[in-house]
Amino acid sequence: MNYFPDEVLEHVFDSIASHKDRNSVSLVCKSWYRIERYSRRRVFIGNCYSISPERLIARFPGLKSLTLKGKPHFADFNLVPYDWGGFVYPWIKALAESGIGLEELRLKRMVVSDESLELLSKSFANFKSLVLVSCEGFSADGLAAVAANCRFLRELDLQENEVDDHRGHWLSCFPESCTSLVSLNFACLKGEVNLGALERLVSRSPNLKSLRLNRLVPLDTLQKLLMRAPQLVDLGIGSYVHDPSSEASNKLKHAIQRCKSIVSLSGFLEVAPRCMSAIYPICGNLTTLNLSYAPGLHGNKLTKLIQHCRKLQRLWILDRIGDKGLGVVASTCKELQELRVFPSDPFGAGNDAVTEEGLVLVSAGCPKLNSLLYFCQQMTNAALITVARNCPNFIRFRLCILDPVKPDPVTNQPLDEGFGAIVQSCKRLKRLSLSGLLTDQVFLYIGMYAEQLEMLSIAFAADSDKGMLYVLNGCKKLRKLEIRDCPFGNSALLEDVGKYETMRSLWMSSCEVTLGGCKTVAEKMPSLNVEIINESDQTEFNLDEGQKVDKMYLYRTLVGHRKDAPESVWIL
Amino acid sequence: MSSENGKLLPETDAGGLNFEATELTLGLPGESRVTSDGVAKLGSKRGFSETVDLSLGDNKNTNKFGQSQIDVPEAAKSPVSKAQVVGWPPVRGYAKRRTKSCKYVKVAVDGAPYLRKVDLEMYNTYQQLLTSLEDMFSCFTIRNYLSDKKLDQVNGIEYVPTYEDKDGDWMLVGDVPWQMFVESCKRLRLMKSSEAVGLAPRTPPKCSSAS
């Protein structure tokens, strides 16, 4: 390797896309480390508190694209205080002051202030792409700054953020000179946007490939936008209510038919089922379909729609589709790889829900299925065993039985055997979420068979510490473990504290670990931050070592205790 | 279905989700349909759940489910009241949008033997709603004040669309913006034109934003 000049090695490294591989490359020798760091353009940081912006900048001066994740996953389910942390401002400030030519920023579960967005928009002349997923803390003013100042913006993608957008002027802030947009997604915004500005923006964006509208974009605007952008590949429809016999509907049909490149369809934030026939002409091309925001679509209208979608690879749907509807999916969508079935009524009677039958049908009809998120009323071991046999290719298998400790309703047994079959059969499984009645046995299986497992989510399961130990000892590639309401205590937690340094993070809430146990971890492992989250009314933490800890979140870090934790978070 | 004194429940709920008032429930005797702040109780069909001894979310309980022998057949019949468990099922707060269900309101037509229900969320404009009502009650003619269009008369009787708003007042359909109407409408009544003499305007009101 000494024979090759640096430029040659750089060129070779360029072809290595995966972060993991590039990380491995940098460990080979000093010169490879050096060449790799200068040529690195994209960095992924799965936990924003594992490293500091200063160290990032020092190591990768050529950085162009940064991905950051903030809050732990269970923040999605209201288990983390809103002010826990994950602020992006320090990152943007440090990058701005460093002279790094940032072009892309992708954030997930972070707190993004308007100030950060404004600073971002003014600090990087070549900034091209902003993707915010499940973030909060900003308003339409921040978006206005991005629109106004990022002259070469290609992508503004807002996914499921909480945005205060009562003032809808931000779209008008894109200057006339901005013609570079490739992707615009504002489906999560609740407020009105300037429709005229939107139409003009789309008209002057010949490269626009992805457009996702919010609920308040009416049908006639949709029709005009489609006429101006027949080259769209990905469309998110806002409001889709019209009278099928009307002139407006005809115009829309015509506009949709011109869009021969659309392969991804989502939205339908407001929909009247009888109008779906207007999109049949493009259904045959769809590879991605997300109807999970359309509770009004169900029954025949829904299945008729699906029957037109023979090329579907990814389907996100509500459980109103029912087992029968999933049968239609199974017989129509032979290319299906990813299925997500969301609950339309998570806290209610669940009459419309799906059961194990639907899943079995899909597994039988769709052999390429490799990714599943399935909220259901019930599950049986027999069904899981059948699914495991039919679909050995699962990479992600997330099952959520709405009743958290429900056993197999046919045999009244725990679901250990069913999940055991899944992990045994699916040798490439990377992510697993369990539910239903489960004993330590399932964890024995997981430890034995789930060799590629990287992320495991457990709730209301197990009998004893053994469960957790099986997992920690067996799953060598485990990176994220999140546990709630399980009887795991100090002896499981403390058995092998070194293990946590090989992982990104561990979350345990409503378990049996005590303050003393957590303190011990913190003492033995200075490379970990051990955070205790206490949201109760008591202003002072109870210092009794035997006190059980409500929520513990620990993660490896190179930069010690963070300085921005709120009062409810105590870093041991 | 019945409150404890045996009377039928009032037909409208405070929340505007009227269909729940007529929903059959298996609530325990004496169990009220609504909580004290007027919100319909969740799981009204799952009265049994209150009697199932599962202390979810209770940190102090060391005896988790692995230990306790749940009476399984019954647990299978009636799932635990899900509203009690924080963060379960694991759906994103944002995902609550998916559950934003329809706004069904009762539609009464003077002279019709039974009522119908429509989902106001299915429509975007007054015109769509009125057209749909026409389909539903096809033997009647609905006077459309907004477009001042006389629709086909079949039996010569005209109806004026009115609705009861949140304050309990009967209003003429069409005066306020559509979205405002959807939010405040509790029920619809198609009133015979003859009864509306003196109440209905002779000239159509200025057409407010129909969308």
Side-chain angles (χ1 to χ4, degrees):
Chain A
M1 285 305 152
N2 292 336
Y3 311 138
F4 293 121
D6 290 359
E7 296 79 39
V8 173
L9 280 175
E10 257 184 54
H11 193 67
V12 172
F13 293 169
D14 268 351
S15 62
I16 300 171
S18 116
H19 292 291
K20 243 189 231 166
D21 290 341
R22 282 203 75 120
N23 293 346
S24 306
V25 154
S26 69
L27 293 173
V28 167
C29 63
K30 280 209 178 104
S31 72
W32 279 38
Y33 177 89
R34 179 177 45 82
I35 297 166
E36 199 282 322
R37 71 178 260 253
Y38 282 110
S39 63
R40 179 99 117 185
R41 300 285 168 258
R42 319 180 65 89
V43 173
F44 169 88
I45 296 178
N47 174 5
C48 64
Y49 290 118
S50 61
I51 191 72
S52 70
E54 290 74 26
R55 286 181 63 163
L56 170 74
I57 292 163
R59 180 165 169 192
F60 300 115
L63 183 68
K64 296 245 175 293
S65 162
L66 177 61
T67 303
L68 281 171
K69 292 188 177 183
K71 294 184 187 165
H73 177 226
F74 277 0
D76 284 354
F77 317 130
N78 301 324
L79 291 177
V80 175
Y82 82 97
D83 58 352
W84 173 86
F87 306 103
V88 79
Y89 185 79
W91 291 85
I92 296 180
K93 182 160 181 286
L95 287 162
E97 286 166 4
S98 69
I100 282 202
L102 193 70
E103 294 183 7
E104 177 178 273
L105 187 61
R106 311 169 75 93
L107 306 176
K108 186 167 187 179
R109 285 191 210 99
M110 296 208 53
V111 178
V112 180
S113 62
D114 283 342
E115 208 188 345
S116 326
L117 291 177
E118 192 167 338
L119 183 60
L120 175 74
S121 71
K122 292 183 172 156
S123 308
F124 307 105
N126 260 341
F127 193 76
K128 296 195 170 74
S129 170
L130 180 63
V131 179
L132 302 178
V133 180
S134 304
C135 296
E136 60 191 349
F138 61 102
S139 76
D141 290 347
L143 297 177
V146 172
N149 302 326
C150 299
R151 296 192 303 145
F152 303 113
L153 196 68
R154 285 199 201 147
E155 182 175 19
L156 180 60
D157 185 0
L158 308 171
Q159 297 177 31
E160 306 212 338
N161 302 289
E162 291 295 331
V163 186
D164 170 20
D165 69 318
H166 56 276
R167 295 197 296 167
H169 68 291
W170 63 278
L171 252 182
S172 325
C173 296
F174 281 103
E176 288 301 312
S177 55
C178 175
T179 57
S180 47
L181 270 183
V182 173
S183 168
L184 178 63
N185 173 7
F186 60 94
C188 64
L189 298 188
K190 300 180 223 92
E192 287 183 351
V193 292
N194 184 325
L195 299 176
L198 176 60
E199 287 174 40
R200 287 189 298 276
L201 179 62
V202 169
S203 296
R204 64 177 186 275
S205 303
N207 298 321
L208 194 68
K209 291 281 187 291
S210 169
L211 179 63
R212 297 192 183 190
L213 310 170
N214 78 348
R215 198 166 197 260
L216 296 183
V217 176
L219 200 84
D220 57 332
T221 305
L222 170 65
Q223 184 263 333
K224 288 184 199 152
L225 294 172
L226 292 178
M227 290 301 285
R228 285 171 163 82
Q231 77 282 3
L232 281 178
V233 169
D234 167 37
L235 175 64
I237 290 181
S239 170
Y240 192 73
V241 178
H242 53 97
D243 181 355
S245 57
S246 68
E247 178 58 27
S249 182
N250 282 334
K251 284 172 84 172
L252 180 71
K253 259 190 221 166
H254 171 67
I256 289 178
Q257 273 172 307
R258 290 177 74 231
C259 299
K260 301 195 190 301
S261 307
I262 293 182
V263 295
S264 165
L265 195 58
S266 62
F268 297 99
L269 306 176
E270 211 177 57
V271 64
R274 61 213 158 102
C275 311
M276 296 312 283
S277 54
I279 64 163
Y280 288 168
I282 56 166
C283 286
N285 296 331
L286 292 181
T287 56
T288 299
L289 180 60
N290 182 353
L291 298 174
S292 65
Y293 286 101
L297 266 184
H298 54 97
N300 286 339
K301 293 283 190 297
L302 178 55
T303 47
K304 265 199 92 175
L305 175 68
I306 298 216
Q307 278 167 329
H308 283 81
C309 304
R310 310 203 75 87
K311 284 196 189 164
L312 221 50
Q313 293 173 18
R314 186 189 296 176
L315 176 63
W316 291 22
I317 195 93
L318 287 172
D319 59 2
R320 291 186 127 193
I321 189 173
D323 289 330
K324 274 222 192 98
L326 287 177
V328 174
V329 172
S331 51
T332 310
C333 309
K334 297 303 181 187
E335 301 298 311
L336 196 69
Q337 294 177 28
E338 177 178 324
L339 176 66
R340 295 197 189 191
V341 180
F342 294 96
S344 54
D345 193 10
F347 308 109
N351 284 332
D352 290 326
V354 295
T355 70
E356 76 278 7
E357 288 180 20
L359 183 59
V360 168
L361 288 172
V362 175
S363 74
C366 309
K368 296 188 181 178
L369 197 64
N370 61 39
S371 176
L372 181 75
L373 172 61
Y374 196 74
F375 285 82
C376 57
Q377 279 293 87
Q378 62 182 46
M379 185 54 56
T380 63
N381 283 311
L384 284 174
I385 291 168
T386 304
V387 169
R389 196 176 49 238
N390 291 340
C391 295
N393 297 318
F394 275 115
I395 300 172
R396 274 168 240 106
F397 191 88
R398 298 158 68 187
L399 189 72
C400 178
I401 303 168
L402 292 170
D403 180 356
V405 288
K406 193 165 177 154
D408 179 329
V410 172
T411 63
N412 286 335
Q413 293 300 302
L415 292 175
D416 302 332
E417 296 306 309
F419 280 106
I422 294 285
V423 293
Q424 197 175 355
S425 164
C426 304
K427 307 209 185 308
R428 280 181 276 193
L429 194 68
K430 285 192 182 171
R431 181 168 180 183
L432 178 63
S433 300
L434 307 169
S435 59
L437 186 65
L438 296 163
T439 72
D440 288 343
Q441 185 70 10
V442 70
F443 299 104
L444 175 67
Y445 291 141
I446 292 173
M448 272 174 66
Y449 295 113
E451 293 176 4
Q452 302 301 319
L453 196 66
E454 296 180 6
M455 181 169 178
L456 180 61
S457 309
I458 310 172
F460 303 103
D463 309 310
S464 74
D465 283 334
K466 282 200 281 188
M468 185 166 166
L469 288 170
Y470 290 141
V471 171
L472 291 176
N473 291 334
C475 300
K476 302 294 179 211
K477 297 204 174 173
L478 196 63
R479 292 189 301 119
K480 287 185 283 184
L481 180 57
E482 44 186 29
I483 304 170
R484 63 164 293 179
D485 294 274
C486 293
F488 301 142
N490 291 343
S491 52
L493 179 69
L494 297 174
E495 166 94 356
D496 177 14
V497 292
K499 169 84 175 171
Y500 307 130
E501 214 176 28
T502 69
M503 293 165 54
R504 184 188 298 173
S505 64
L506 168 66
W507 168 283
M508 294 180 76
S509 59
S510 304
C511 296
E512 305 289 309
V513 295
T514 68
L515 183 58
C518 297
K519 277 188 174 170
T520 307
V521 177
E523 274 161 24
K524 288 190 174 174
M525 300 291 298
S527 59
L528 302 176
N529 276 355
V530 181
E531 299 191 1
I532 308 294
I533 298 170
N534 185 355
E535 288 180 275
S536 69
D537 287 339
Q538 36 183 138
T539 47
E540 287 201 5
F541 288 98
N542 188 337
L543 296 175
D544 170 15
E545 308 259 309
Q547 171 80 9
K548 283 203 200 117
V549 160
D550 190 21
K551 295 169 186 167
M552 179 204 72
Y553 180 55
L554 65 79
Y555 51 89
R556 66 181 177 190
T557 177
L558 293 174
V559 290
H561 289 190
R562 60 186 175 110
K563 309 282 186 295
D564 60 2
E567 276 193 21
S568 53
V569 175
W570 180 15
I571 308 181
L572 297 178
Chain B
M1 164 170 167
S2 308
S3 61
E4 49 188 332
N5 59 9
K7 289 214 183 100
L8 285 176
L9 290 161
E11 287 174 283
T12 57
D13 265 343
L17 290 169
N18 298 323
F19 69 99
E20 284 186 355
T22 55
E23 198 178 50
L24 291 178
T25 67
L26 299 172
L28 297 174
E31 184 183 65
S32 71
R33 289 206 49 101
V34 293
T35 60
S36 52
D37 58 355
V39 175
K41 231 190 206 173
L42 291 168
S44 52
K45 290 181 186 170
R46 305 285 182 209
F48 183 84
S49 63
E50 274 85 35
T51 66
V52 175
D53 184 18
L54 288 170
S55 40
L56 291 172
D58 178 354
N59 302 330
K60 307 212 171 43
N61 184 1
T62 55
N63 206 8
K64 293 294 177 184
F65 305 105
Q67 315 273 0
S68 65
Q69 291 305 308
I70 305 159
D71 188 355
V72 165
E74 276 160 309
K77 263 192 295 195
S78 33
V80 178
S81 174
K82 296 162 190 127
Q84 294 167 8
V85 185
V86 174
W88 192 269
V91 286
R92 296 206 48 239
Y94 191 83
K96 288 199 179 100
R97 283 192 187 209
R98 297 186 170 112
T99 69
K100 176 185 173 0
S101 49
C102 357
K103 183 168 178 172
Y104 275 102
V105 296
K106 288 184 189 171
V107 184
V109 177
D110 291 352
Y114 49 79
L115 281 60
R116 296 295 300 270
K117 272 207 158 153
V118 290
D119 175 8
L120 293 181
E121 296 282 349
M122 300 272 284
Y123 311 103
N124 237 7
T125 66
Y126 285 113
Q127 186 57 61
Q128 288 172 5
L129 170 65
L130 293 175
T131 307
S132 181
L133 290 179
E134 261 213 319
D135 288 341
M136 252 190 199
F137 297 96
S138 51
C139 46
F140 305 128
T141 301
I142 302 170
R143 177 69 192 261
N144 186 342
Y145 281 101
L146 290 170
S147 63
D148 195 25
K149 193 170 53 111
K150 276 228 165 119
L151 308 161
D152 284 336
Q153 295 210 5
V154 176
N155 61 3
I157 303 176
E158 268 191 359
Y159 287 80
V160 174
T162 64
Y163 70 101
E164 185 183 4
D165 73 359
K166 279 188 175 150
D167 300 324
D169 298 319
W170 285 93
M171 319 283 294
L172 181 70
V173 167
D175 286 333
V176 299
W178 171 256
Q179 207 50 47
M180 199 184 289
F181 162 73
V182 171
E183 273 159 31
S184 57
C185 172
K186 280 168 47 177
R187 57 198 308 202
L188 286 161
R189 177 182 165 206
L190 302 183
M191 190 189 273
K192 277 199 186 131
S193 268
S194 50
E195 274 191 37
V197 162
L199 300 171
R202 283 196 212 93
T203 54
K206 191 161 162 65
C207 181
S208 48
S209 154
S211 57

